[in-house]
Amino acid sequence: EENCELPPWSLNRYSCDLFNLPDLDTELVDVQKMLSKYLLELYDIGVTMLRIDAASHIYPASLASMLEPIPLDYIVQEIYPQLLEIEPLTLEKGIALGAITDFKYGQRISQIIWNARGESHNWTDRSKHFGELATFENYFKPSPMKGASRRCPYTIWNTPVHDSKAMVFLDNHDAQRHRLKKEPSDILCDAFDGKHMFECRSTYKFGLQHV
């Protein structure tokens, strides 16, 4: 049963089972030691960089306790920008631990390459703007800004993560899964048998809104 009821999201997101998924209790010392031991074994066989999925659902102090014994070269935490913008302390603690995903980077790049469908519901040819990719930083300052840059002609221009701590990328599976697609059929993919590949109601194919 779902135990991540709202409110208070800012508190219980650390200890609840998100979306009813099986979860390790990272607040237990024995669990922390087990995970730290596993990470150390990975380090011993050559793993020197680590991406922490859903890092915002683990207390920063607990995460630090597990990571401190391992001399990793690079750590990046998946934290969504909406959370960082309203929780400055989460941003501060995340930066202290390592790098943070910059989900807005791909959106900023995409504005140069194409316009999303506007009132005309047509795509706009923006090939003449492609040269702006070479002067990207002139349009989008990588450090947080309190106000929009006067010379920035785009609507998505800032990021809560400073460039020195940002792990940039264009897109990822979560963002793709959440985008709306066409209405699915009534065939569910829970017991997928390979016979309805293009018809079943897949989370990855149609997004959470249709599951």
Side-chain angles (χ1 to χ4, degrees), residues 160-178:
V161 186
H162 191 276
D163 62 328
S164 64
K165 288 290 186 176
M167 195 280 284
V168 299
F169 55 96
L170 296 181
D171 205 359
N172 82 336
H173 61 284
D174 286 327
Q176 293 168 354
R177 186 173 68 245
H178 280 76

Side-chain angles (χ1 to χ4, degrees), residues 111 126 129 132 139-140 149-155 157:
Q111 290 178 113
R126 290 184 52 81
H129 294 275
E132 294 173 10
Y139 290 93
F140 304 102
S149 171
R150 291 182 178 181
R151 61 181 176 182
C152 180
Y154 301 111
T155 56
W157 48 268

Side-chain angles (χ1 to χ4, degrees), residues 22 30 35 41 44 48 56 73 86 89 99 107 127 137-138 150 163 170 191 210-211:
D30 287 345
L35 290 172
E41 290 174 353
D44 287 341
T48 60
S56 59
D73 294 335
I86 63 174
L89 192 58
Q107 297 174 25
S127 56
E137 63 181 10
N138 294 334
R150 291 182 178 181
D163 62 328
L170 296 181
H210 292 314
V211 175

Side-chain angles (χ1 to χ4, degrees), residues 171-191:
D171 205 359
N172 82 336
H173 61 284
D174 286 327
Q176 293 168 354
R177 186 173 68 245
H178 280 76
R179 294 193 190 103
L180 284 173
K181 294 187 178 181
K182 67 177 184 178
E183 287 283 348
S185 69
D186 291 330
I187 302 173
L188 296 177
C189 293
D190 294 341

Side-chain angles (χ1 to χ4, degrees), residues 18-150:
L18 189 65
F19 303 133
N20 294 336
L21 296 172
D23 195 9
L24 293 173
D25 188 349
T26 50
E27 292 311 296
L28 292 177
V29 174
D30 287 345
V31 173
Q32 293 179 12
K33 289 181 178 179
M34 177 190 67
L35 290 172
S36 187
K37 180 176 180 292
Y38 174 67
L39 292 174
L40 187 57
E41 290 174 353
L42 290 178
Y43 178 80
D44 287 341
I45 63 173
V47 176
T48 60
M49 293 182 282
L50 180 69
R51 177 189 181 275
I52 304 171
D53 191 66
S56 59
H57 295 279
I58 304 175
Y59 279 109
S62 301
L63 197 53
S65 176
M66 290 181 278
L67 296 173
E68 187 176 10
I70 301 99
L72 294 166
D73 294 335
Y74 185 76
I75 297 170
V76 59
Q77 306 152 88
E78 183 199 44
I79 305 178
Y80 280 82
Q82 298 91 329
L83 188 63
L84 298 171
E85 289 167 353
I86 63 174
E87 292 186 12
L89 192 58
T90 297
L91 175 62
E92 179 182 336
K93 291 182 177 180
I95 288 175
L97 286 172
I100 297 176
T101 49
D102 183 0
F103 277 86
K104 288 189 173 183
Y105 184 82
Q107 297 174 25
R108 299 195 297 275
I109 284 283
S110 69
Q111 290 178 113
I112 293 176
I113 299 175
W114 67 74
N115 281 338
R117 290 175 296 177
E119 295 179 0
S120 63
H121 298 286
N122 294 319
W123 293 96
T124 304
D125 180 6
R126 290 184 52 81
S127 56
K128 65 181 181 180
H129 294 275
F130 286 5
E132 294 173 10
L133 292 171
T135 55
F136 184 72
E137 63 181 10
N138 294 334
Y139 290 93
F140 304 102
K141 295 299 181 184
S143 58
M145 297 185 292
K146 294 182 179 179
S149 171
R150 291 182 178 181

